[in-house]
Amino acid sequence: TVNYLSDLEQRFSDIRKELDMAGQIDFQTVVIGEPRPLLSAVGEETHQICREALTNAFRHSGATVIEVEIEYSARLFRIVVRDNGRGIDPKIISLGREGHFGLSGMRERANGVAGQFKVFSRPEGGTEAELSIPGRFAFEAHFSNIVSRWFHGRRRTKPKKEVSE
């Protein structure tokens, strides 16, 4: 099992090393809030979504600066991948590119973990790809508290006696 609490930053750094071998792009990860453990499915989908967003930024944007912002709050887990590149055509953002499943795949992955995936872009103004997941679906402790409250909050009733004829 991967520890997504400490591992996300390292995994993003590894992606950078893989895609920017010459080290020509200014890359940084910013963490806002107190990191919290993610459910493993959320951590894996987050990694895959961000890997695709970073791949797009490194390979296609022409950016000189790429940043990953990870935000942990009581109500929300959010990651933004932003670059200062050439932007994405609005038609591609809404419809995708024929034969490519990157953006639609990221949206599907986000939906699979009760999240939302959005892309904001301006020509020559860069791109922001944002994944946001409500905390109750993202964080381990939050999820186990919900299950615990549900299980322990149920009324217990005595089983009915069977009547034999």
Side-chain angles (χ1 to χ4, degrees), residues 14-101:
D14 291 346
I15 293 168
R16 184 265 173 109
K17 289 175 192 169
E18 176 187 329
L19 297 172
D20 184 27
M21 290 185 202
Q24 296 179 335
I25 297 173
D26 180 13
F27 177 80
Q28 67 177 342
T29 301
V30 176
V31 177
I32 299 169
E34 187 65 35
R36 299 170 62 183
L38 298 173
L39 291 168
S40 62
V42 171
E44 184 56 38
E45 294 299 348
T46 296
H47 174 256
Q48 294 300 327
I49 291 166
C50 291
R51 178 177 183 71
E52 182 70 25
L54 284 168
T55 298
N56 289 342
F58 278 105
R59 289 189 178 156
H60 306 300
S61 74
T64 58
V65 177
I66 298 174
E67 178 182 88
V68 177
E69 180 181 291
I70 306 170
E71 180 182 347
Y72 298 89
S73 71
R75 295 180 166 254
L76 187 70
F77 173 67
R78 182 174 156 264
I79 292 190
V80 178
V81 175
R82 67 175 58 93
D83 68 61
N84 69 343
R86 64 179 139 269
I88 303 173
D89 184 311
K91 290 179 186 175
I92 292 174
I93 291 174
S94 61
L95 303 173
R97 181 176 282 156
E98 183 147 346
H100 294 260
F101 303 101

Side-chain angles (χ1 to χ4, degrees), residues 1 15 37 46 57 67 70 77 84-85 103-104 107-108 114 117 119 122 125 131 144 153 156 164-165:
T1 306
I15 293 168
T46 296
E67 178 182 88
I70 306 170
F77 173 67
N84 69 343
L103 291 173
S104 62
R107 286 184 183 105
E108 284 179 30
F117 179 77
V119 178
R122 294 187 330 261
L131 169 65
S144 61
R156 301 203 185 263
S164 54
E165 297 182 26

Side-chain angles (χ1 to χ4, degrees), residues 121-155:
S121 188
R122 294 187 330 261
E124 305 305 321
T127 300
E128 286 193 5
E130 176 186 271
L131 169 65
S132 59
I133 305 169
R136 67 182 183 273
F137 299 119
F139 303 121
E140 279 185 2
H142 211 41
F143 185 76
S144 61
N145 286 343
I146 289 170
V147 171
S148 178
R149 281 195 307 259
W150 174 83
F151 184 75
H152 294 296
R154 292 173 45 207
R155 272 191 14 207

